[in-house]
């Protein structure tokens, strides 16, 4: 390693790739249901925000170092690639792209950007919120737009 920032970035790579693999195991229908139903007690994003909360000092340190731009860019690339691959591998990509001319690459970048911005805010100004509270705030803020963009009403796993 060249310096401590390089070491932190390498550790981030390892952690984020493992977390991405964990989240990718959750079926697409579960993700969709968590978007549509606010009463789900353990939505997939809660797993992610719990992970951040459990490693709060690590992520806060990462975001406060001189290479913060590199950290955020690396998170963005890893996350965007993972979300795009997840949609393509889930078999829903072709169907989604037919809905409202949705672009999976744009959708992935948008979602990841929103998650990263939420994390940065949460670790700085929103520290008083629990993982459950930040998950619910994120869902309420973001998912109505996602639901409309992807036209999720037409999916067969929609709840009655």
């Amino acid at each position: 390693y060249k310096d401590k920032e390089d070491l932190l970035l390498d550790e981030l790579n390892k952690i984020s790739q493992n977390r991405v693999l964990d989240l990718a195991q959750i079926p697409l229908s579960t993700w969709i249901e968590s978007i549509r139903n606010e009463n789900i007690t353990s939505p997939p994003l809660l797993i992610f925000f719990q992970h951040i909360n459990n490693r709060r000092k690590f992520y806060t340190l990462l975001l406060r170092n001189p290479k913060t731009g590199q950290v955020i860019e690396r998170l963005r690339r890893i996350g965007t690639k993972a979300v795009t691959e997840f949609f393509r591998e889930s078999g829903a990509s072709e169907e989604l792209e037919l809905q409202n001319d949705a672009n999976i690459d744009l959708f992935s970048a948008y979602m990841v950007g929103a998650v990263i911005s939420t994390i940065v805010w949460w670790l700085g100004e929103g520290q008083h919120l629990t993982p459950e509270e930040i998950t619910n705030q994120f869902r309420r803020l973001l998912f109505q737009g996602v639901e409309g963009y992807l036209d999720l009403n037409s999916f067969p796993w929609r709840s009655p």
Side-chain angles (χ1 to χ4, degrees):
Y1 300 106
K2 294 183 282 185
D3 52 27
K4 69 178 181 181
E5 282 83 16
D6 202 38
L7 175 65
L8 286 172
L9 287 172
D10 186 58
E11 187 62 23
L12 172 65
N13 247 355
K14 292 175 191 171
I15 290 171
S16 58
Q17 287 177 353
N18 287 334
R19 186 57 41 203
V20 163
L21 289 174
D22 292 344
L23 292 172
Q25 300 303 311
I26 299 169
L28 180 61
S29 59
T30 302
W31 284 97
I32 300 298
E33 185 61 24
S34 75
I35 291 170
R36 301 194 54 78
N37 185 350
E38 289 186 23
N39 297 320
I40 291 179
T41 56
S42 185
L45 275 175
L46 178 58
I47 296 167
F48 181 75
F49 286 117
Q50 286 171 333
H51 162 79
I52 298 295
N53 191 57
N54 292 339
R55 291 158 185 82
R56 183 177 285 272
K57 288 183 182 179
F58 173 76
Y59 285 103
T60 300
L61 179 65
L62 271 175
L63 293 172
R64 290 189 180 155
N65 83 54
K67 294 186 178 181
T68 297
Q70 288 179 340
V71 170
I72 290 174
E73 178 58 23
R74 188 169 291 187
L75 282 171
R76 189 194 63 74
R77 279 184 300 179
I78 291 168
T80 301
K81 181 181 177 195
V83 171
T84 300
E85 287 175 2
F86 174 76
F87 270 90
R88 290 202 169 111
E89 290 173 10
S90 72
S93 177
E94 293 79 21
E95 188 174 353
L96 288 174
E97 288 179 334
L98 294 174
Q99 305 296 329
N100 294 328
D101 298 324
N103 181 303
I104 298 304
D105 295 323
L106 173 59
F107 168 77
S108 300
Y110 178 79
M111 287 295 296
V112 171
V115 169
I116 290 171
S117 293
T118 301
I119 291 167
V120 170
W121 178 84
W122 186 38
L123 293 177
E125 300 168 42
Q127 294 181 13
H128 62 282
L129 297 174
T130 67
E132 293 78 11
E133 291 169 327
I134 196 69
T135 299
N136 287 330
Q137 291 289 320
F138 183 83
R139 287 167 62 195
R140 288 178 45 218
L141 182 65
L142 183 73
F143 284 148
Q144 287 184 349
V146 168
E147 185 175 2
Y149 182 73
L150 296 178
D151 192 17
L152 297 181
N153 291 323
S154 65
F155 278 175
W157 51 74
R158 181 173 179 239
S159 295

